[in-house]
Amino acid sequence: MIDIKLVREEPQTVKQGLLSRNLDPSVVDDLLTIDEMRREKLTGVETLKAERNTVSREIGKIKDKGEREAKIADMKVVSDSISALDEELRLIEEKQQELIMGIPNIPLAQVPIGKDESDNVVLRVEGEIPTFDFEPLPHWDLGPQLGILDFERGVKITGSRFYVLSGLGARLQRALIAYMLDLHIKQGYLEKYTPFMVKGATLYAAGQLPKFADNLYKDHEEDLYMVPTAEVPLTGLHMDEFLEGQQLPLRYTAYTPCFRREKMSAGRDVRGIKRGHQFDKVEMYTYCKPEDSMQELDKMMADAEETCRQLGLTYRILQLCTADISFNASIAYDIEVWAPGCQEWLEVSSISNVGNFQARRANIKFKEEDGRKDYVHTLNGSGLGMPRTLIAVLETYQQANGSVKIPEVLLPWMGGATEIPCCA
RNA sequence: GGAGGGAUGGCCGAGUGGUUUAAGGCGCCUGUCUUGAAAACAGGUGUGGGGUGAACGCUCCACCGUGGGUUCGAAUCCCUCUCCCUCCGCCA
């Protein structure tokens, strides 16, 4: 949520932010108009309330019956006006809130302007595009051939875009998760195990509601949603808290499954397991002071990148342009790994500095010993997203005989297996 | 699922319609005293929003778990929901 004071004081900044995201800036003027109305209405009703408070206190002390009755009658009229004005004010505030909740974060000046994702900037590519002396298979052929990936039964028990991992395939994914969590712990993040379901208020705080309601799975009788990313419960952790300055930065890592309807992506990426309604992810999340957030962004980037490097994957770093950074983000980078079988770059991580955008919604502040108070900055990044990392590992480490070698760093979790044999 | 109890400031805790403008205590901050500290004493100490001002500030409104209601006036009365505790039942 952006600051209404910023809209008031620097409407041009906000408009430019919207323009850079290719959005209509006229909402800023609407907001200014409604804010003016709101303050006018507020001043009026508060004056009446002040009067009522004073006179009501006097009424308690008045002994003369006639005088007392007269004042009560007067205040009844005042009270009725207050009720009416309060209701008008409520509607105005509701409208204002609705408008402000719909405004995305303002991109930082260094974010490249772009029209769509094709304007993202490839900052660098790490590792060589691997070459094979045989035709590398895409995972949708390789997985079933190895007996570790079962599309039909996933569809049978749940529906399209669901699959079952089996044997060493399931174990490989579990190894990836365990390895990533352990790595991030070493990098200074505290592991959290959170609920996989959250209430509506938590999703509002994280910026997922109201805008992305379509993408969420919701319980049909309670106010409970399946998490679309661990970012949501990790934001919720410190919702409505005043943190001590000396506690910061707080760095967390968590594994959760993620549940998304993917209505927007109907028909896209239907082949294989690249995009499902349920996927696993290890997330990194940082709360810090505003002055430290760019440095924390660099750290989180480096920490996510280290995962790809240790896994021996070929990857590239993209700086997202204004059109492609998420609603919450002020600046963001993606990490994409190369999948030699399906011959494409797969997004396995998106790392964002959210600034105080989420902290405002979630009401997370910190206090310094010298009395300074401010909203924290939050950052989030995947480290990494699961099925796609699994795809890249399978496709990168496949051998001519049809087997798949296990990357060195995963061996401690593989129960002695060093490869997935071709007829598992 | 059933029965009962509870939710008040950073913490403890009083408060069943108007001298409560949330008592008192603890903690914290400032000052006096002291070489320094402790103790003692005095003062201060929440969040959000509005108005005003160059600024220290001044002032008003709201907030006693949530959302409604009754009333001239609600922490206090009524309804709703949430959460916590105790006991019973069921259960991986």
Side-chain angles (χ1 to χ4, degrees), chain A residues 76 79 102 137 175 223 227 233 262 275 290 412:
Chain A
K76 191 162 177 54
S79 220
L137 294 175
D223 176 37
V227 297
E262 298 289 358
R275 188 184 295 273

Side-chain angles (χ1 to χ4, degrees), chain A residues 261-276:
Chain A
R261 288 191 187 277
E262 298 289 358
K263 276 189 186 164
M264 307 299 286
S265 324
R268 278 175 62 193
D269 308 318
V270 286
R271 200 86 196 267
I273 61 173
K274 181 175 153 192
R275 188 184 295 273

Side-chain angles (χ1 to χ4, degrees), chain A residues 143-209:
Chain A
Q145 184 178 302
L146 290 164
I148 61 169
L149 178 54
D150 187 340
F151 291 109
E152 288 77 8
R153 292 196 176 88
V155 172
K156 178 169 72 177
I157 61 179
T158 308
S160 71
R161 289 192 193 272
F162 288 90
Y163 54 89
V164 174
L165 293 175
S166 180
L168 287 173
R171 184 159 197 157
L172 180 60
Q173 171 155 290
R174 180 157 56 87
L176 280 163
I177 293 165
Y179 151 72
M180 288 175 189
L181 285 170
D182 285 0
L183 175 64
H184 298 323
I185 290 166
K186 278 183 220 139
Q187 289 165 335
Y189 298 79
L190 179 66
E191 182 176 358
K192 294 279 180 182
Y193 170 85
T194 70
F196 299 163
M197 302 179 84
V198 292
K199 54 187 177 183
T202 309
L203 286 151
Y204 273 97
Q208 293 285 336
L209 281 177

Side-chain angles (χ1 to χ4, degrees), chain A residues 10 51 62 102 149 162 204 224 284 299 356 364 405:
Chain A
E10 299 180 44
E51 186 191 349
I62 294 174
L149 178 54
F162 288 90
Y204 273 97
L224 283 179
M284 294 179 281
K299 170 173 170 55
N356 65 21
I364 306 167
K405 254 180 59 186

Side-chain angles (χ1 to χ4, degrees), chain A residues 245-299:
Chain A
Q246 64 207 20
Q247 287 179 268
L248 299 172
L250 288 169
R251 302 191 188 102
Y252 298 138
T253 185
Y255 153 76
T256 70
C258 305
F259 302 94
R260 300 182 183 179
R261 288 191 187 277
E262 298 289 358
K263 276 189 186 164
M264 307 299 286
S265 324
R268 278 175 62 193
D269 308 318
V270 286
R271 200 86 196 267
I273 61 173
K274 181 175 153 192
R275 188 184 295 273
H277 293 301
Q278 168 187 324
F279 64 94
D280 287 19
K281 182 157 60 66
V282 172
E283 183 80 358
M284 294 179 281
Y285 198 96
T286 299
Y287 297 79
C288 67
K289 297 178 195 177
E291 61 270 28
D292 296 333
S293 69
M294 288 313 286
Q295 189 184 318
E296 288 294 327
L297 180 67
D298 290 343
K299 170 173 170 55

Side-chain angles (χ1 to χ4, degrees), chain A residues 248-404:
Chain A
L248 299 172
L250 288 169
R251 302 191 188 102
Y252 298 138
T253 185
Y255 153 76
T256 70
C258 305
F259 302 94
R260 300 182 183 179
R261 288 191 187 277
E262 298 289 358
K263 276 189 186 164
M264 307 299 286
S265 324
R268 278 175 62 193
D269 308 318
V270 286
R271 200 86 196 267
I273 61 173
K274 181 175 153 192
R275 188 184 295 273
H277 293 301
Q278 168 187 324
F279 64 94
D280 287 19
K281 182 157 60 66
V282 172
E283 183 80 358
M284 294 179 281
Y285 198 96
T286 299
Y287 297 79
C288 67
K289 297 178 195 177
E291 61 270 28
D292 296 333
S293 69
M294 288 313 286
Q295 189 184 318
E296 288 294 327
L297 180 67
D298 290 343
K299 170 173 170 55
M300 196 176 278
M301 280 294 297
D303 293 339
E305 192 178 337
E306 177 67 8
T307 317
C308 298
R309 202 187 59 75
Q310 289 191 5
L311 285 169
L313 300 173
T314 301
Y315 62 93
R316 64 180 189 180
I317 310 286
L318 266 62
Q319 167 144 41
L320 300 190
C321 72
T322 50
D324 208 29
I325 62 175
S326 73
F327 184 79
N328 286 342
S330 63
I331 181 167
Y333 299 92
D334 274 6
I335 299 178
E336 298 184 336
V337 293
W338 178 248
C342 43
Q343 293 277 307
E344 63 176 319
W345 293 99
L346 301 177
E347 179 193 330
V348 290
S349 183
S350 192
I351 295 149
S352 308
N353 184 351
V354 175
N356 65 21
F357 192 80
Q358 263 173 339
R360 282 183 182 285
R361 288 187 170 227
N363 188 29
I364 306 167
K365 298 177 190 172
F366 72 100
K367 199 180 334 190
E368 295 280 38
E369 280 179 15
D370 64 7
R372 173 191 174 204
K373 284 174 234 167
D374 201 355
Y375 287 101
V376 298
H377 277 196
T378 60
L379 301 96
N380 63 80
S382 355
L384 312 162
M386 212 29 64
R388 296 180 185 175
T389 305
L390 184 69
I391 291 170
V393 168
L394 289 172
E395 294 187 2
T396 301
Y397 285 89
Q398 59 184 306
Q399 309 295 308
N401 68 2
S403 68
V404 171

